[in-house]
Amino acid sequence: MAPEAPQRERAIAFTLNGESVRCRAPARTHLGDLLRHEFGLTGVHLGCEHGVCGACTVLVDGRAMRACLMLAVQADGATVETVEGLTESGRIRDLQDAFHARNALQCGYCTPGMLVTAVELLSEAVAPSREEIRDAISGNYCRCTGYHAIVDAISTTAEARRSKEAAE
Amino acid sequence: MKAPDFAYARPASLDEALALLAAHGEDAVPLAGGQSLVTTLNLRLSAPSVLVDLNAVPGLSGVTQEGDVVRIGAMTRHRDVGVAEIVRARLPLLAAAMPHIAHPAIRNRGTIGGSMALADPATEWPACCLALAATIVLRGPREERRVAAEDFFQGLYATALAPGEIVVAVEVPVPAPDAVWGFDELARRRGDYALAGLAATARRRGPGLTAVRLAFFGLADRPVLARRAAAALEAGDLKGAQVALADELDPPEDPGTRPETRLHLARVILGRVAGRMLEGGRHGA
């Protein structure tokens, strides 16, 4: 069978923040632009668009990925979660409260990517050390806070979740 | 920036992928994890007219052991290589190197095969493959062939891959029971490209080491197996090994770091790694 000819645009279907969605996507469009322009999810922040700053980090099939380094057409069949979906589900309420309480954001541009990165870290490590937190967020640039407050927020969230778990 | 216009195909089999690459010749580029390729597209440093996405090709990912060889599928993500049970048990050098590759989000998507094909001289997997005497398995339109890591890396972003060929797996011999290893890397920031890195393997012999393989990265236009330094280390002469590096490495000149500095850093990590291997350790940084 001859292989399917390469296309400049494809119809794709995927799960976005818990809902099944369909659209057409130009091959050259990266996932970050698709999420922002087609679905209005402007919590996906675009900073550098070459994988360095981490502001566009989203969950794809449960794992943190750079939306600027995935083609939109590659989302076909995947499950994508953005900060909007994580917020609406209430899943990161404690983390967001901790960011607020600790002043872990000033301009907020890096925050969605930081939160998504922290979601993955906290799903894997119950008691991450400050070093481990720093390592996990090393691919997310923040130009305001100096990172200490972000490490604080993630660390206190982990601690609070442990206490909550122990109490239950 | 935004990527230039291109066409995209997502073949569902290896044969289809190879047929597409053959049909479109030099205009077509295989897309693995895309963590470097999509970057170069967005920066318009590359402008292929066709991208052949390997992500839907079955059978290209996963880690298996057959006899004395561990086979790592080319599309296995960096993270999945490092956390695989077989890798942790048999190839702890790879498990130790994995966290040094970029950042979590990049490790979740980038692949070992893509890293081989790109052959960035400052990256971890190529040097690990040299240290472990791995074989790179390539498939072209007509045949599969195997190339030793030592012959695979041929220069700056240059490999033994022929047009139309793709990396399908990396095969690593299981180290002997008396094998030791070491890994260290110095970078300006966590996850940044290595200023100097070393992946090493050896076997214990009495109080010393034999069969030493020292694979340096970030210190030339390709990963380098430092043979004279390894011979000196086998003779118990660490100082001699450090001196020998001056002739074996060719550190790049860049605005932030002088070649002399990189050479110095190479000597520092050789000292650390050699010390750990001599302690009988199997330590990563």
Side-chain angles (χ1 to χ4, degrees), chain A residues 1-150:
Chain A
M1 197 182 83
E4 178 195 332
Q7 298 165 296
R8 296 205 130 63
E9 190 180 275
R10 280 173 83 102
I12 58 171
F14 62 105
T15 303
L16 178 57
N17 292 330
E19 285 178 33
S20 298
V21 296
R22 296 174 171 279
C23 65
R24 292 194 68 80
R28 63 183 282 255
T29 299
H30 62 62
L31 179 60
D33 270 342
L34 184 90
L35 295 172
R36 289 176 61 87
H37 299 159
E38 183 75 26
F39 298 101
L41 298 171
T42 51
V44 181
H45 287 177
L46 297 178
C48 70
E49 291 191 287
H50 62 277
V52 173
C53 78
C56 69
T57 308
V58 298
L59 294 179
V60 178
D61 295 328
R63 293 167 84 163
M65 303 215 180
R66 300 280 201 249
C68 74
L69 295 188
M70 247 185 94
L71 303 178
V73 290
Q74 294 184 301
D76 193 27
T79 295
V80 177
E81 286 171 283
T82 68
V83 72
E84 288 89 346
L86 291 166
T87 300
E88 278 166 27
S89 70
R91 218 177 119 194
I92 58 168
R93 180 63 191 267
D94 56 346
L95 185 64
Q96 288 166 315
D97 286 347
F99 266 63
H100 183 203
R102 293 276 174 169
N103 266 340
L105 64 155
Q106 289 179 30
C107 86
Y109 204 80
C110 71
T111 312
M114 283 288 180
L115 291 170
V116 171
T117 300
V119 165
E120 183 175 54
L121 172 69
L122 294 174
S123 73
E124 290 167 353
V126 180
S129 65
R130 293 183 73 83
E131 274 306 289
E132 285 167 335
I133 294 169
R134 285 193 169 274
D135 197 47
I137 64 169
S138 65
N140 293 73
Y141 283 8
C142 172
R143 302 285 84 147
C144 301
T145 65
Y147 302 100
H148 293 292
I150 297 172

Side-chain angles (χ1 to χ4, degrees), chain B residues 93 128 130-133 175 179-182 199-203 210-215 273 277:
Chain B
L93 169 61
C128 289
L130 271 184
L132 289 163
V180 290
W181 58 272
T201 61
R203 295 178 72 168
T210 183
V212 175
R213 291 174 72 89
L214 304 172
V273 166
M277 289 200 297

Side-chain angles (χ1 to χ4, degrees), chain B residues 110-273:
Chain B
T111 68
I112 190 169
S115 187
M116 294 295 132
L118 179 67
D120 185 308
T123 52
E124 293 78 4
W125 288 150
C128 289
C129 285
L130 271 184
L132 289 163
T135 299
I136 321 299
V137 185
L138 313 177
R139 262 289 295 275
R142 280 175 299 283
E143 55 166 10
E144 180 171 287
R145 64 191 181 104
R146 288 173 154 68
V147 181
E150 286 169 64
D151 302 321
F152 184 76
F153 302 104
Q154 301 185 343
L156 190 64
Y157 302 113
T159 69
L161 272 168
E165 273 185 330
I166 63 171
V167 176
V168 292
V170 173
E171 291 183 346
V172 189
V174 175
D178 60 354
V180 290
W181 58 272
F183 183 91
D184 205 347
E185 173 177 333
L186 297 171
R188 289 195 187 280
R189 291 165 292 266
R190 271 168 238 254
D192 207 343
Y193 288 99
L195 291 173
L198 169 60
T201 61
R203 295 178 72 168
R204 312 253 354 231
R205 191 177 59 188
L209 300 171
T210 183
V212 175
R213 291 174 72 89
L214 304 172
F216 286 89
F217 56 103
L219 290 156
D221 67 348
R222 69 196 81 178
V224 173
L225 210 50
R227 295 172 200 279
R228 266 174 289 167
L233 208 54
E234 287 174 11
D237 180 9
L238 172 60
K239 186 85 194 142
Q242 289 169 320
V243 169
L245 292 181
D247 292 330
E248 298 199 270
L249 304 176
D250 183 16
E253 175 94 58
D254 75 50
T257 319
R258 291 179 308 146
E260 295 82 356
T261 305
R262 285 186 191 253
L263 181 59
H264 169 73
L265 297 177
R267 288 173 170 151
V268 169
I269 58 176
L270 174 56
R272 292 181 186 170
V273 166

